[in-house]
Amino acid sequence: MKYQVLKTEDFRTSRWTGGTTTQLAIWPQDSEYLERNFVWRLSTATCEKEESIFSRLPDFNRILVVLSGSVVLAHENVRSARLRELEQDAFDGAYRTKSFGAITDYNLMVRKGNEGSVEVIELSEENRTLTVEDKEQYAMGTQAFYCRDGYATVDISGTMVMLKEGEQLVIDYDRRESLRLSVMGEGHLIRCSIWYNYEEGSFGPTRIEKRPATAEDFRQCVFIANTQYRFSKYTNKRLKSVWYDEELQKGIRAVNRFAIADIVFFAGIALVGFLGAGRFHSPILWVAAFVAWFLLYSLLVAPAVYFLAVPKPVAAHIKDVSKLTPYERELREKQMNTNERVTRILNKYKFSGTAEYDEDGNRLDDLSSKKF
């Protein structure tokens, strides 16, 4: 079990066309909201417009608690909910949801297949013992407390923690641990209980520890350097059974983007021509010189260029397609169905012009409707 008190300096706040959004906590901690590779996320948001459209999150369930103000949430073709201060609504992130009313809210997002709940606690000076529900189907749990106003002291299995207004406490544990909780203070606490399973690589890239370069890394770079031509996947059988992870692809793109290896190759051709002029009087000598350069380039020079750019150990970033994690399988399938040239053109012009976009990069064609 471990806990952490998160304060203003730990939060990530960004501006969007309808107000502000502040990420309080996310798990795993190195995941990114925009990449949707998290298990759960806690955040607050202000909506300064009377009407707003929520971004759709089809892989997540959501719970929204009104911190201040009042709002009507209209889930298209499903239902509506009128919420006053400290009231909540749980809904599917796939819903087309529109809100009516300027509010400040607290949000819990949990990936489907896991569970989460929210409880508003009115604090008093008398100590209150909390029940921690055990759900056998989940290996991991998180108890989170957000101090909406006033102050709170939280007893975590005998350890007392103080929370001030606007601070977020996150307690991570696994179900084998016995967790005892009690609270007291003044004001209101927002308590989130989250139960989940997680396997590294399920929603994001597998972490690979960096190591010093070895001769094996260079050998792998010989393979990489000599399989960069357009139709290599049709002529090299090994390419059909392996996949380069994101970090390795990034290093390869850095070399290919500026055609560094090609520049070196043609510079070598020019050098052979310059040195051979006036010296090679036989076609055999010319052929031998160019063949020697080609072999030197293929086995040493080009691999050295990629060797400088790719992560080590290289072999760990070359994955067997039959052993990919769920995240890697999904990414590979997406890449196979994507035209890279078209994607580059679209990305180049995505944010040009005067169109407005929300914090997720969704275009707001109807400028009277703002998303968050």
Side-chain angles (χ1 to χ4, degrees):
M1 184 268 292
K2 63 179 181 179
Y3 69 87
Q4 184 179 13
V5 176
L6 302 168
K7 304 180 180 181
T8 302
E9 57 267 27
D10 302 308
F11 302 154
R12 183 187 299 180
T13 300
S14 59
R15 185 79 189 177
W16 62 287
T17 52
T20 61
T21 179
T22 299
Q23 178 175 288
L24 307 178
I26 195 168
W27 201 92
Q29 293 182 356
D30 58 354
S31 55
E32 292 290 338
Y33 170 65
L34 293 181
E35 295 180 11
R36 307 293 194 260
N37 58 359
F38 58 94
V39 178
W40 57 259
R41 180 179 187 259
L42 300 173
S43 64
T44 60
T46 63
C47 184
E48 300 165 2
K49 306 294 182 181
E50 283 300 320
E51 296 183 14
S52 301
I53 298 176
F54 285 27
S55 298
R56 297 182 69 192
L57 299 165
D59 295 327
F60 297 87
N61 290 317
R62 303 181 63 171
I63 301 177
L64 181 147
V65 181
V66 176
L67 297 179
S68 63
S70 62
V71 68
V72 171
L73 299 182
H75 307 299
E76 185 177 324
N77 298 323
V78 181
R79 61 178 175 82
S80 64
R82 181 182 179 86
L83 303 179
R84 297 176 178 82
E85 199 168 283
L86 296 179
E87 293 182 337
Q88 63 176 278
D89 185 36
F91 57 97
D92 192 321
Y95 288 171
R96 297 183 183 276
T97 299
K98 189 172 185 178
S99 68
F100 299 87
I103 59 168
T104 299
D105 58 52
Y106 184 88
N107 296 276
L108 168 63
M109 302 177 185
V110 180
R111 182 174 291 274
K112 291 177 179 177
N114 305 287
E115 292 187 42
S117 66
V118 175
E119 174 188 3
V120 177
I121 300 174
E122 186 172 356
L123 296 164
S124 70
E125 295 179 353
E126 297 296 322
N127 189 56
R128 173 182 171 183
T129 300
L130 303 178
T131 299
V132 180
E133 187 176 354
D134 180 29
K135 299 206 174 192
E136 295 182 356
Q137 65 269 43
Y138 301 108
M140 306 173 71
T142 293
Q143 293 288 318
F145 297 89
Y146 177 76
C147 187
R148 183 257 197 177
D149 59 274
Y151 75 93
T153 58
V154 182
D155 189 300
I156 311 169
S157 298
T159 300
M160 191 71 71
V161 176
M162 172 77 173
L163 281 182
K164 299 178 182 178
E165 182 175 329
E167 295 181 344
Q168 175 74 61
L169 169 64
V170 176
I171 308 166
D172 296 321
Y173 63 98
D174 67 53
R175 64 178 305 271
R176 295 170 297 180
E177 299 174 296
S178 176
L179 182 63
R180 304 186 310 278
L181 295 173
S182 63
V183 297
M184 56 185 175
E186 181 180 287
H188 296 86
L189 273 182
I190 310 295
R191 177 195 184 188
C192 295
S193 300
I194 311 168
W195 302 272
Y196 51 99
N197 293 312
Y198 176 74
E199 177 184 354
E200 186 175 3
S202 296
F203 315 122
T206 304
R207 300 177 186 87
I208 299 176
E209 183 181 353
K210 294 182 179 180
R211 296 178 183 175
T214 64
E216 174 60 23
D217 292 322
F218 193 87
R219 191 180 73 83
Q220 295 293 342
C221 287
V222 172
F223 173 75
I224 292 172
N226 289 282
T227 53
Q228 293 305 303
Y229 53 92
R230 184 180 295 271
F231 302 105
S232 58
K233 61 182 178 181
Y234 301 110
T235 60
N236 191 296
K237 292 183 178 181
R238 185 187 175 195
L239 285 177
K240 297 179 181 180
S241 61
V242 299
W243 177 76
Y244 300 159
D245 72 7
E246 292 174 278
E247 195 174 356
L248 181 55
Q249 290 181 37
K250 182 179 179 180
I252 293 173
R253 283 197 300 270
V255 175
N256 294 345
R257 182 181 300 116
F258 301 103
I260 297 173
D262 294 336
I263 292 172
V264 172
F265 176 76
F266 288 110
I269 292 290
L271 182 62
V272 170
F274 175 77
L275 295 177
R279 292 183 175 87
F280 300 156
H281 302 291
S282 167
I284 295 177
L285 292 177
W286 280 107
V287 171
F290 284 122
V291 169
W293 164 243
F294 180 79
L295 292 175
L296 180 66
Y297 171 82
S298 300
L299 300 177
L300 185 61
V301 178
V305 173
Y306 286 95
F307 182 78
L308 295 173
V310 299
K312 287 81 174 177
V314 179
H317 295 271
I318 301 177
K319 307 296 184 71
D320 185 330
V321 294
S322 65
K323 300 178 182 179
L324 298 180
T325 65
Y327 170 81
E328 291 168 343
R329 285 197 299 271
E330 182 179 349
L331 181 60
R332 178 174 178 266
E333 183 177 348
K334 181 179 179 181
Q335 290 174 342
M336 292 175 67
N337 295 325
T338 299
N339 187 312
E340 292 186 6
R341 292 186 177 182
V342 173
T343 300
R344 284 197 296 268
I345 294 172
L346 292 176
N347 288 338
K348 181 177 181 180
Y349 296 103
K350 180 177 181 180
F351 292 99
S352 62
T354 58
E356 292 186 71
Y357 298 83
D358 70 3
E359 83 282 7
D360 297 335
N362 301 311
R363 182 170 177 171
L364 304 174
D365 291 309
D366 180 0
L367 298 184
S368 66
S369 301
K370 308 300 181 185
K371 296 183 180 181
F372 71 103

